[in-house]
Every structure is written in structure tokens, then in C-alpha cells.
Amino acid sequence: MKELVALSTQDRIRAIRDLPVSFQEKKHIRCVLHHEYDKLYIKSARQSLELWQGTLKEIGGKFGSSVLSYFLFLKWLLMFNVFSFLINFGFITIPLLVHGPSPSNVTFRGLEILTGAGYFAHTVLYYGSYSNQTLLEPVEYDMQLSYFFTIAVFMVLCKITLIYSMSKSFQENYVPADSSSSSAWLLLTGWDFTVINEKAVRQRKDNLRESLSESAQSELLTRSEKLKHFGVHLGCWILSTGLAVGCGAGVYFLCQYEQKTLLVPFVVSLFNLVIPLFYSLFNKFEVYSSQRSQIYTLVGRNVLLRMVILGVLCHYWMDVVAENFQCWESRVGQALYRLVLFDFFFLMLGSLFGEFLSNVIGTKLLLHLGVPEFDVARNVLDLIYSQTLAWIGIYFSPLLPVMQMIKLFILFYIKKVSLIQNCQPPRRSARAAQMQTIFIFLLFFPFFLGALSVVAYTAWSLSPSEQCGPFRGLNKTFSVIESWMEDVDELQGSRWAAWIYQNIILSQIFFFLVTLIVLVIIYVFWQVSQGRKELIGLLKQQIVNEGKDKSFLLDKLQKLQSSRKKNLKRKKKKRVGHAGPAESRGGGRRSVGPGPPTEPRSVRLQRPHSGHAGPTAGAE
Amino acid sequence: MGTTASQLGKDLLSEYQELTFLTKQEILLAHKRFTELLTKDEKDHQNTRVSMERILTLPELKSNPFRKRICHVFSTSEQKDGGLTFEDFLDLLSAFSDSATLEIKSHYAFRIFDFDDDGTLDRGDLEKLVNCLTGETDDTRLTTEEMRQLIDNILEESDIDKDGTVNLSEFQHVISRSPDFVSSFKIVL
């Protein structure tokens, strides 16, 4: 109680809530303390604004938390895009619209929605139509600087958000791999209380029984079997890498038709739809020791495929388009628009083919296949891929997040309907929390870092087009900062800013030192974690030793007590008893006291780990 | 919604908000769902206890394999019949809510799994736990041999001090290594 009084109001509320006692007792504690309280209105307001809460609950109730994690991820991405749209629209587009955009004389024909060219090419959708002037009314507003800084700040914010959510997720979900532990407890404590659908519960019970009886039998592989498995793995890896490289080459070849037809976005999206199906097929032939490694392999191969394709495309844009076209940034923006759009069509097709068709096949034609499960890993990778497109496109087409927003919004409903109509709850419970961590990690590396380096390369090394866009007439985009700094240097009051720019931002020694310091910090932390690991081992050993001590002492106690009872009985027989039961019990306890100290000491000396058994002295 | 708010009273509501992990909306919803379980004349009384049978008609609990244990653990009834008052019910929802801590959740999970209420999970408790999860009937139950092996595995893995039972701190240690527990130990109305 006294501890509670000392706390602040907020902490006190938390402390009371944290007590694992019944409601009435909590109420009592609170009455005793009797204090003023802050109302938690903000939290409840946030709760009521939560998007799709009912739908998410329904999905979680039927399919469990691993499928739910896909939808939560989708929602998270949607919020992310709303945020980036607000930033871009607010700082780049609105000033331009206020200023009055250059009127376009191309009429809208409808086909542009598909190609992203024509009418759209002269709208604020793309880089090309942004002006390089400084607005004078109502306030002075330099379009060049605002364009540069908005994109830069947006990228930095993205990076911070991603690193933050990644580290949080790691902190909560990262489990030190313990090779000795079997998965029995994981299965038992992994029961999903969110699942409330009767049928789903029954199915989960069946699955759990299978995995439990599996986990009860341990299997050992012979060397030849191991070799065979290794061979199959190697073959599948070679084959899937070959496929990815082949796709990359195909895209590279097709890129020459990029400007005239819709072939490239079509083929790229087709690859993204079909090749993963092959990968899933390979997976059927391979034997994995755990489901986790199976999923990781699948995810790894898919990531490789997407990286190859995106790499080839970026190479084409940076090297070929940038050299040969006027207004090349808008061209790249259009290409990205088409990719985003086609990706959306193919995601819808994917739901239709991947889920609807296999449902029809599973229930009507090949009954042994059964109703399909929702493939969380593949679907999340699709989301990550489309988000990467949006990130790369942010420089070339600042309003691309709008597309992404609409796309994600519609996708949520399509996936929901498809899931409920076509799929069954997952047969084996995947480790949802860990999967979530992996997804965010993948989103950050390689995809976000890749997109970031593409944008950074464009701003640092490529020369912007001469006829259009905010950076027309400059050598490279970064020159904006250089000339701005020259202006700043002339102002009396802000010399320091120019000095910082000259001596820190542009200096290599500064970055060298920063890198060095970061490396040292990483090394120190690594050492600390190694030390902790050792300590954990020692402490575990200590607990075991103490347990042994405890059981030994209990044994001794029992023996002593029984011999004592015998003695008492004998005495009782001799003189017909006055001693009440309470007295005899008390006497027994007292007499045990002097017994143990002599006994365990000798035992402790015999034990090999006597060093860790130290604290037993306190127990005596 | 407005009528339920007035029924609960502002003071009571903020007290509930303070003592549970639930938000205002969640408490109001809980109240609404709880009053639906009451009969007409029970509605006038405060702190009526609803019998376990009626609580278990809620779809959120109906098919839960631990439904009876959950009621027993959260019930403050003196007859030990698993009946819940509204405050017991809030307590339940609070422990199963999104924002409840791992500490709270693992504590209640331990008590739910401790079928004989003796403070440790012994072989009997573990057997009942496994049976609850696989289904009680003969054809769904594990064989005796499998069950023995499984319980041996469990004890091998989690009984750190080797006393043949799993106590609360050992259980919490296990829970801390299964990150999915927090997200799956959840009941939302």
C-alpha cells in the first residue's frame, strides 16, 4: 500500500490494474487510496476511430491471428500511405495549385487511366509539371527547395518509422533460439483465444492433436537421407535462382518496347503472379525439419525474384531512359504508374486464380487437395513489392501514394471476401508474431533501402532533364542545396548554417568518424549480449542445483518426520497419551531444526557443481 | 449507446476505466452485452450474479475449450459455481484485452490451466490441459503412451528446478519465450 501511495496518479492506476486480483479487491484498494484520477479519454477516442475494427475481429475470429496479421499489415501500410500523401500534397502540390498550374491542352480520353500518359502527363501527378520558380504570393516559397526537402524529409521519416517499428517488434517478439526446447509448450500456450467460430475451433483442435502427437515422437534421419534432402534443396535453389535470373533477362529484353506498349508492366506482373506458384510447387518436393524454415526459404526465393526484376527495371530507367529522353523523370513516373496499376489488376487476378480456382478445384475436381489455405507469406510479399514501387516512384511522381491508398483500400475488401468465401483456417498454427517481425524487417531491408538508394542515386548523380520539372537547368538535383547554401552564406545571421554545411555535411572525415563510433558501440553491445548469454547458462545451472537441494531436504525432512512419528507412537504406547495432536506436530517441527545442517553439507561437498549451490545456505 | 451510458453512471464508468485495461467504449459494450444476459427483474438489481450456463451462451466463450475454467477463475462467487457479476465479467475482459500486460495474461493463463487450483501445474493438470485442447472424446484423445511422452517433453522443457511440477515462475518463463501468446490470449467482444 505504501508503495502505491508514493507513485504518481498514472503509475498508481497502472499498478492497481496490474494486480492479478479480483475486481472487488481492486476496487477496495482504490477506495483506500482515494485519489483524483486522470481520465483516459484520448485512448477511448482513438479506439472509436479505429478503421475496420469489426471486420478485423471477424477475420481473427474465423482464421486466427496469423491470417489477421496480413490484414493488420495492410492497414498499417494504408496509414503509411495516407501520411505520405498528406506530406507530399501539402508541401508540393498545394503550393503549385495555388500558384496556378500550366494549363494542359490535351483532352482526356479514358485510355490514359491505363497508360498514365497523355492527359496525365501534364498534370501534377508527375515530376515534369512542377515549376522551378519561387512563388512570391502570398509568401515566398521556393518550389525547388520544397520539392527536394519534402522528398528528403519523407524518406528520412519513413526510415525512422520503419526502424522504430522494427526494433519494437524485435524487442517484443524476438525469442532467443533454444535448440534444446521442443515445441510442446509452444503448441499448448499458442491456443488462439480469438478464434470463436465453432467449426474453426474444432478444426484447430484436430490440427493441434496431430502436431502434439507428432511432437511426442522424435525422429532421427540417417546420413543418406540427409544427403538426399540436401541435394533436393540445392537443386531447388539452383532452379529457383535460375528462374529469377531468367525473368530478369526477359524483362531486360522487353524494356526496349517499354515506351510504346503496355508489355513490360503486363509481363512483370505476370512473372510476379506465376513464378511464386512454381516456387510453392518446389516446396512440395522438399522436406523441411520445421515449418518455419520452409516458410523462410519460400520467402527468401520470392524476395530474390522481386529484387532481380526491380533491379533490372531500375537499371533501365537510370541508364537508358535518363540518357535518351526529354523529361525522363516523367517517363519513369509513367512507367511506375503503369506498374502499380497492373500490379493491382494482377493482385485481383491472383485472388481469383490463387484462391477461388483452387477452392473450386479442391472441392469439385481433386478432392484430396481440399479447400485452400490463405498463403500469408506470398500475400505479404505482394504488398511489400507494391509498396516498394510506391517508394521508388515518390521522386518521379509525388502523388503516387494516392494510387497506393486506393489500391490498398479496395484490396482489403477483395481479400476479405476472397478469404471468407474460398479459404479455410490454417491447418498448422504459424508463429504470427515472429512472422510480423520478419515482414517489417523485409520491408526495410532490402526493399526500403533499395528504393532509398535508387532515389538518392537519382538526386546525387543523374542530371535532371532540361525542359521540365523543378530542377530544370541544373547539373544535378543536389545542386539546389549548393546554390541555396551560397545564398545563406551571404546572410549575416546564418553563417553558422553554411559553416555546418561546409564542414560537416560535405566532410568525409565527419562521416568516417560517425561510422567508427557506431561500429564501436555495436561491438560493445555485442560483447554485453555474449556476457549475458553466459550468465543465463550459469543461472540456469544454479536453479537446477537449488531444485536438487530442495528435493534432498524434503526427503530428509520426511524421513525424520516418519521416524519421529514412530518414536512418538512407541512413547504413546508406553504411557497412555496426554499429548494433543497440535503439540506433537509442533514438537516435530522443532525437533527437525537441528537435523539438516549436518546432513546437506556433506552432500554439497560431494556434488560437482558445489560452487553454484551457495545460496542454499540461506535456505537453511 | 446513450441509454447504457446513463445506466452505468459517469463515476462508475470512470472507476471501471481506471481499474481495468478497457476503454470507455469497451466497458459500455460489455455492459450492454451483460445486461442482455439478465432477465427483466434482474435488471433492476445492481451486482446480479449471472450463472455460468448463461455466461457461456456468449458466442465469444461458447466454443472456447477452457470456458468453464475461465468462469471459475474469474468468479468471486462464494458457492464456487462460476457465476459472474458484471465486475467479474469486466475483470475477465480486462485480462483478455489488447492492452493487458504479459504479466497479467500469464498469471491468469496459469490459473486457468491449474485445474485443481493447487498453485502448480502437475501431471494431472497437464493431462487435463492437453485433453481440453484435443477434445475429450476417445477418438480425439491422445493415446496413453503419446500423452506420457508429451508430458515428459513438457516437463523436460519447462520444469527448471526438476521438482516434477511447473510453478508460476517457470510457466511465466515459458510464456516469455512464446511471443504469440499475448496476441492469442485475447477475447474481444
Side-chain angles (χ1 to χ4, degrees):
Chain A
M1 274 308 177
K2 271 181 194 163
E3 280 170 28
L4 282 178
V5 175
L7 294 170
S8 74
T9 320
Q10 281 286 323
D11 287 344
R12 193 156 36 189
I13 292 173
R14 211 171 297 137
I16 297 176
R17 258 196 315 215
D18 274 351
L19 293 174
V21 293
S22 78
F23 197 94
Q24 277 175 350
E25 284 169 64
K26 274 187 239 178
K27 212 163 141 188
H28 173 71
I29 294 173
R30 181 175 165 276
C31 284
V32 173
L33 289 167
H34 193 72
H35 54 75
E36 288 293 305
Y37 42 78
D38 295 329
K39 285 168 189 167
L40 305 165
Y41 276 133
I42 304 165
K43 201 182 160 203
S44 15
R46 209 191 63 201
Q47 180 91 30
S48 61
L49 284 174
E50 205 84 65
L51 182 66
W52 293 327
Q53 212 189 1
T55 319
L56 288 175
K57 188 194 162 192
E58 189 193 338
I59 291 168
K62 270 192 185 148
F63 295 92
S65 47
S66 69
V67 174
L68 185 65
S69 72
Y70 166 79
F71 286 88
L72 288 175
F73 188 68
L74 200 158
K75 195 176 131 183
W76 187 74
L77 280 182
L78 181 68
M79 293 303 154
F80 212 83
N81 280 293
V82 169
F83 162 75
S84 58
F85 162 69
L86 287 179
I87 285 194
N88 282 355
F89 193 70
F91 290 101
I92 308 181
T93 313
I94 286 185
L96 187 79
L97 290 177
V98 168
H99 178 61
S102 49
S104 103
N105 47 9
V106 183
T107 48
F108 183 69
R109 284 182 306 160
L111 195 67
E112 284 95 336
I113 292 184
L114 218 57
T115 62
Y119 173 78
F120 283 132
H122 303 281
T123 60
V124 288
L125 191 58
Y126 300 119
Y127 169 93
S129 34
Y130 286 86
S131 116
N132 64 343
Q133 291 156 333
T134 304
L135 313 183
L136 296 172
E137 286 171 32
V139 285
E140 212 176 294
Y141 196 86
D142 190 333
M143 282 303 288
Q144 284 189 332
L145 280 178
S146 83
Y147 199 98
F148 185 86
F149 276 120
T150 308
I151 303 289
V153 167
F154 170 73
M155 281 300 187
V156 171
L157 281 181
C158 275
K159 197 170 170 178
I160 292 173
T161 323
L162 277 176
I163 290 182
Y164 174 73
S165 31
M166 199 165 68
S167 63
K168 218 175 104 184
S169 176
F170 260 109
Q171 219 170 28
E172 280 166 13
N173 305 325
Y174 176 74
V175 184
D178 200 345
S179 55
S180 66
S181 72
S182 71
S183 54
W185 260 120
L186 289 183
L187 292 172
L188 293 187
T189 55
W191 177 263
D192 211 334
F193 283 74
T194 45
V195 178
I196 52 175
N197 185 294
E198 188 105 26
K199 216 174 128 194
V201 168
R202 207 173 325 123
Q203 202 168 24
R204 285 197 160 238
K205 278 186 178 177
D206 287 348
N207 301 335
L208 192 69
R209 184 166 49 86
E210 269 171 39
S211 9
L212 280 176
S213 49
E214 257 174 49
S215 82
Q217 301 147 2
S218 56
E219 52 175 304
L220 286 171
L221 296 175
T222 61
R223 177 172 280 185
S224 66
E225 271 176 320
K226 269 186 195 165
L227 260 177
K228 202 176 130 202
H229 289 170
F230 180 75
V232 174
H233 281 312
L234 192 73
C236 284
W237 267 108
I238 291 173
L239 213 61
S240 47
T241 316
L243 264 177
V245 172
C247 288
V251 171
Y252 186 77
F253 172 72
L254 282 175
C255 270
Q256 49 185 302
Y257 307 111
E258 215 257 330
Q259 299 302 324
K260 292 172 208 115
T261 58
L262 294 175
L263 207 58
V264 170
F266 179 79
V267 170
V268 167
S269 304
L270 191 69
F271 280 156
N272 278 333
L273 179 69
V274 175
I275 304 292
L277 294 181
F278 280 109
Y279 289 169
S280 309
L281 195 70
F282 293 162
N283 232 312
K284 293 238 155 66
F285 295 112
E286 293 173 280
V287 183
Y288 287 97
S289 52
S290 71
Q291 196 202 4
R292 201 195 301 178
S293 57
Q294 181 180 4
I295 289 180
Y296 286 167
T297 321
L298 198 59
V299 167
R301 286 173 191 164
N302 279 310
V303 167
L304 191 75
L305 172 73
R306 258 116 192 174
M307 275 174 57
V308 168
I309 291 179
L310 280 177
V312 167
L313 283 174
C314 285
H315 166 75
Y316 171 71
W317 292 327
M318 305 286 109
D319 278 7
V320 182
V321 178
E323 299 293 318
N324 301 335
F325 290 93
Q326 282 196 336
C327 246
W328 63 272
E329 286 97 341
S330 289
R331 298 262 179 176
V332 175
Q334 287 166 20
L336 279 161
Y337 175 93
R338 289 192 285 266
L339 276 176
V340 169
L341 196 74
F342 272 80
D343 182 53
F344 177 51
F345 291 147
F346 275 82
L347 279 180
M348 287 202 285
L349 272 181
S351 315
L352 191 72
F353 278 105
E355 283 136 26
F356 176 69
L357 273 189
S358 53
N359 181 26
V360 170
I361 291 171
T363 48
K364 301 269 157 61
L365 299 173
L366 301 162
L367 288 176
H368 66 275
L369 285 178
V371 185
E373 288 173 26
F374 189 74
D375 190 344
V376 181
R378 191 165 56 87
N379 279 296
V380 166
L381 275 177
D382 286 338
L383 284 185
I384 292 179
Y385 166 75
S386 72
Q387 186 55 41
T388 314
L389 288 180
W391 272 327
I392 297 177
I394 205 94
Y395 178 83
F396 306 102
S397 164
L399 291 187
L400 209 58
V402 183
M403 291 274 301
Q404 188 72 4
M405 261 161 60
I406 300 170
K407 180 173 153 183
L408 288 174
F409 195 80
I410 299 175
L411 196 65
F412 182 90
Y413 288 101
I414 291 177
K415 283 290 171 191
K416 188 201 128 193
V417 170
S418 163
L419 175 74
I420 288 173
Q421 295 296 324
N422 302 326
C423 298
Q424 65 168 352
R427 229 167 275 150
R428 291 206 252 176
S429 65
R431 309 252 69 83
Q434 266 174 342
M435 296 280 279
Q436 193 97 19
T437 317
I438 298 294
F439 294 151
I440 297 182
F441 178 74
L442 276 179
L443 188 65
F444 180 71
F445 179 86
F447 289 102
F448 175 72
L449 284 187
L452 185 68
S453 43
V454 168
V455 173
Y457 176 75
T458 312
W460 242 263
S461 309
L462 292 180
S463 49
S465 47
E466 284 166 22
Q467 309 297 323
C468 54
F471 305 113
R472 62 190 88 166
L474 292 175
N475 250 346
K476 44 186 179 168
T477 309
F478 194 67
S479 319
V480 174
I481 302 297
E482 283 163 16
S483 60
W484 182 54
M485 274 300 150
E486 277 164 24
D487 290 348
V488 167
D489 204 20
E490 283 161 20
L491 295 172
Q492 275 298 326
S494 38
R495 280 265 163 78
W496 55 272
W499 185 88
I500 288 177
Y501 172 74
Q502 285 291 341
N503 291 295
I504 293 183
I505 310 271
L506 287 188
S507 104
Q508 281 145 358
I509 292 183
F510 173 73
F511 284 106
F512 177 72
L513 284 178
V514 167
T515 319
L516 212 65
I517 292 171
V518 169
L519 280 178
V520 167
I521 293 175
I522 289 174
Y523 180 72
V524 168
F525 273 114
W526 185 68
Q527 282 297 328
V528 168
S529 78
Q530 288 298 315
R532 295 228 168 112
K533 258 182 212 163
E534 251 171 59
L535 192 67
I536 288 172
L538 286 178
L539 287 174
K540 263 188 191 161
Q541 191 55 49
Q542 194 169 326
I543 293 174
V544 172
N545 286 337
E546 279 191 38
K548 278 183 197 159
D549 274 2
K550 196 173 84 183
S551 58
F552 176 80
L553 285 177
L554 281 177
D555 266 3
K556 273 282 156 202
L557 240 153
Q558 260 166 357
K559 268 184 202 161
L560 258 167
Q561 239 163 0
S562 56
S563 65
R564 179 89 193 157
K565 262 182 202 162
K566 273 179 198 162
N567 281 343
L568 272 178
K569 269 182 195 167
R570 236 178 274 151
K571 275 179 193 170
K572 263 184 201 169
K573 271 179 193 169
K574 279 183 182 171
R575 46 180 184 122
V576 186
H578 289 297
E583 200 186 327
S584 74
R585 219 187 296 137
R589 208 182 286 153
R590 230 176 293 133
S591 64
V592 170
T598 50
E599 295 293 331
R601 203 164 291 151
S602 60
V603 174
R604 241 188 290 140
L605 287 176
Q606 288 161 11
R607 207 171 286 151
H609 299 290
S610 57
H612 302 308
T616 22
E620 291 168 19
Chain B
M1 224 37 162
T3 51
T4 27
S6 60
Q7 261 178 31
L8 255 182
K10 225 175 171 185
D11 287 345
L12 210 55
L13 191 62
S14 51
E15 185 188 318
Y16 288 156
Q17 237 172 300
E18 204 175 291
L19 293 179
T20 61
F21 290 101
L22 304 172
T23 61
K24 196 170 148 196
Q25 270 71 26
E26 286 168 328
I27 293 170
L28 290 175
L29 181 61
H31 191 251
K32 193 172 145 228
R33 297 290 297 276
F34 192 80
T35 26
E36 280 168 9
L37 294 174
L38 298 170
T39 54
K40 267 220 174 110
D41 38 311
E42 279 173 339
K43 274 180 194 167
D44 304 328
H45 299 286
Q46 277 228 317
N47 270 346
T48 334
R49 196 170 288 281
V50 174
S51 69
M52 184 163 79
E53 285 70 39
R54 247 187 292 159
I55 288 283
L56 294 184
T57 56
L58 286 172
E60 281 78 10
L61 286 171
K62 205 166 145 196
S63 37
N64 192 307
F66 300 109
R67 52 190 178 269
K68 286 189 178 153
R69 281 300 303 165
I70 293 175
C71 281
H72 276 293
V73 165
F74 286 95
S75 165
T76 49
S77 154
E78 271 157 28
Q79 290 96 45
K80 305 256 176 257
D81 58 357
L84 299 180
T85 63
F86 178 57
E87 291 181 353
D88 295 340
F89 186 58
L90 277 187
D91 218 18
L92 188 158
L93 291 177
S94 170
F96 280 99
S97 75
D98 246 337
S99 28
T101 56
L102 178 65
E103 190 95 32
I104 287 280
K105 281 179 186 269
S106 55
H107 178 94
Y108 280 111
F110 184 79
R111 280 176 59 185
I112 289 169
F113 295 164
D114 183 14
F115 285 83
D116 51 9
D117 288 316
D118 65 348
T120 57
L121 302 185
D122 48 30
R123 293 190 85 97
D125 289 327
L126 291 174
E127 195 167 324
K128 274 187 193 148
L129 168 61
V130 174
N131 279 340
C132 254
L133 287 174
T134 56
E136 303 273 6
T137 52
D138 274 338
D139 54 325
T140 59
R141 208 184 281 183
L142 295 182
T143 61
T144 332
E145 178 54 29
E146 277 173 338
M147 180 69 89
R148 196 188 56 75
Q149 181 64 43
L150 181 67
I151 290 177
D152 282 347
N153 284 354
I154 291 173
L155 288 177
E156 173 69 29
E157 188 185 339
S158 54
D159 181 19
I160 300 171
D161 61 6
K162 307 288 172 214
D163 62 351
T165 61
V166 180
N167 59 32
L168 179 61
S169 53
E170 283 163 353
F171 182 72
Q172 282 177 334
H173 180 68
V174 168
I175 292 289
S176 70
R177 290 188 304 174
S178 92
D180 280 318
F181 174 74
V182 177
S183 57
S184 55
F185 196 74
K186 200 156 72 180
I187 294 178
V188 186
L189 278 188

